[in-house]
């Protein structure tokens, strides 16, 4: 069974860089699939941030592209998110996720981490 | 960017009633690449429907997805107590975007 677990600081100062890692168990990232990051501000809806393949190929939400970097570390079976120049608007629960079937980078997500709340505040 | 508009914002119903949720796209969703998720408070979303009408593994058959082009519907035939939650649609035919959600609450 695929399991994903987000980790990282729960508090980030404005203008700094948010960094999160998603550790994957039960499946080798190198075996395939695009792995994604999605966020959800408190009380609001879902926003896709971006997705990455084990080769390093990435796709980003155009509205965040200038500030987002997603990377993968196959040796540790994990992938990471960096979001630069954060503001209070970036306060959200951040989820990592994987589709239930392969076949492209834009697919519905069937496996999700539990999510981690990141608050941007001084 | 395809914008998804979900309606109503809130649906107040009783257990046993039928729920009909709408997701309207600003332009046609290619290949009916539309999914529905259920999210309960404090939990990650759960995939219910993909490809507009295919149920994900383990999803009860009281959940039915339908529609094509720009208009999609999630129908819950008879609401069970565990079905009261927020539901989101997602289109994945042209990048990936989510709708704003519909909350199904107990009347």
């Amino acid at each position: 069974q695929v399991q994903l677990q987000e980790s990282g600081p729960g508090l980030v100062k404005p203008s700094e860089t948010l960094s999160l890692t998603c550790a994957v168990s039960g499946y080798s990232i190198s075996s395939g699939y695009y792995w994604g990051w999605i966020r959800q501000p408190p009380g609001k809806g879902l926003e896709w941030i971006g997705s990455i393949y084990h080769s390093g190929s990435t796709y980003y939400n155009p509205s965040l592209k200038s500030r987002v970097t997603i990377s993968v570390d196959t040796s540790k079976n994990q992938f990471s998110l960096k979001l630069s120049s954060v503001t209070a608007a970036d306060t959200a629960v951040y989820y990592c996720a994987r589709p239930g079937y392969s076949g492209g980078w834009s697919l519905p997500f069937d496996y999700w981490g539990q999510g981690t709340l990141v608050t941007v505040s001084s | 960017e395809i914008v998804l508009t979900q309606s109503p914002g809130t649906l107040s119903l009783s257990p046993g009633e039928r729920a009909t949720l709408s997701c309207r796209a600003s332009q046609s969703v290619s290949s009916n690449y539309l999914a529905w998720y259920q999210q309960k408070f404090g939990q990650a979303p759960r995939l219910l429907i993909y490809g507009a009408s295919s149920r994900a593994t383990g999803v009860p058959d009281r959940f039915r997805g339908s529609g094509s082009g720009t208009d999609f519907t999630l129908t819950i035939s008879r609401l069970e107590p565990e079905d009261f939650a927020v539901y989101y649609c997602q289109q994945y035919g042209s990048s990936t975007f989510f709708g704003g959600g519909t909350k199904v609450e107990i009347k």
Side-chain angles (χ1 to χ4, degrees):
Chain A
Q1 175 76 339
V2 181
Q3 292 187 311
L4 300 94
Q5 177 69 57
E6 307 89 349
S7 63
L11 181 64
V12 180
K13 290 182 169 54
S15 79
E16 295 189 344
T17 295
L18 177 160
S19 296
L20 296 174
T21 295
C22 180
V24 179
S25 58
Y27 188 85
S28 172
I29 285 181
S30 298
S31 295
Y33 293 94
Y34 272 88
W35 302 80
W37 286 99
I38 301 99
R39 70 179 182 178
Q40 184 173 36
K44 297 188 178 180
L46 301 163
E47 180 179 36
W48 171 70
I49 300 170
S51 296
I52 189 165
Y53 198 59
H54 65 81
S55 62
S57 172
T58 52
Y59 291 87
Y60 297 134
N61 186 321
S63 69
L64 297 169
K65 187 174 183 178
S66 63
R67 299 194 292 130
V68 172
T69 301
I70 297 176
S71 58
V72 64
D73 186 338
T74 54
S75 67
K76 294 182 178 179
N77 213 39
Q78 63 186 34
F79 60 106
S80 299
L81 168 70
K82 290 188 185 299
L83 181 66
S84 64
S85 305
V86 297
T87 68
D90 295 309
T91 294
V93 174
Y94 286 76
Y95 295 100
C96 55
R98 197 208 83 175
Y101 57 93
S102 59
W105 67 270
S106 185
L107 291 170
F109 295 103
D110 208 0
Y111 298 96
W112 295 68
Q114 65 185 25
T116 186
L117 175 62
V118 179
T119 301
V120 178
S121 175
S122 55
Chain B
E1 174 181 334
I2 297 179
V3 176
L4 300 177
T5 302
Q6 292 189 240
S7 62
T10 301
L11 201 49
S12 298
L13 295 168
S14 301
E17 290 193 295
R18 180 186 189 93
T20 303
L21 288 67
S22 173
C23 177
R24 180 162 291 175
S26 59
Q27 47 189 292
S28 185
V29 177
S30 63
S31 303
N32 291 335
Y33 284 159
L34 187 108
W36 289 93
Y37 296 83
Q38 176 193 68
Q39 186 178 35
K40 297 180 181 179
F41 184 77
Q43 297 184 16
R46 172 197 179 194
L47 178 66
L48 298 175
I49 302 288
Y50 63 94
S53 61
S54 297
R55 274 187 296 276
T57 303
V59 175
D61 59 8
R62 63 179 180 273
F63 291 91
R64 177 175 169 269
S66 61
S68 64
T70 60
D71 289 303
F72 299 87
T73 301
L74 175 69
T75 302
I76 311 171
S77 58
R78 288 177 54 86
L79 283 165
E80 296 288 339
E82 63 266 28
D83 299 337
F84 291 91
V86 180
Y87 293 83
Y88 294 96
C89 57
Q90 173 207 13
Q91 74 80 24
Y92 52 98
S94 174
S95 191
T96 294
F97 295 101
F98 293 89
T102 290
K103 180 180 181 180
V104 179
E105 65 176 22
I106 299 176
K107 185 174 181 179

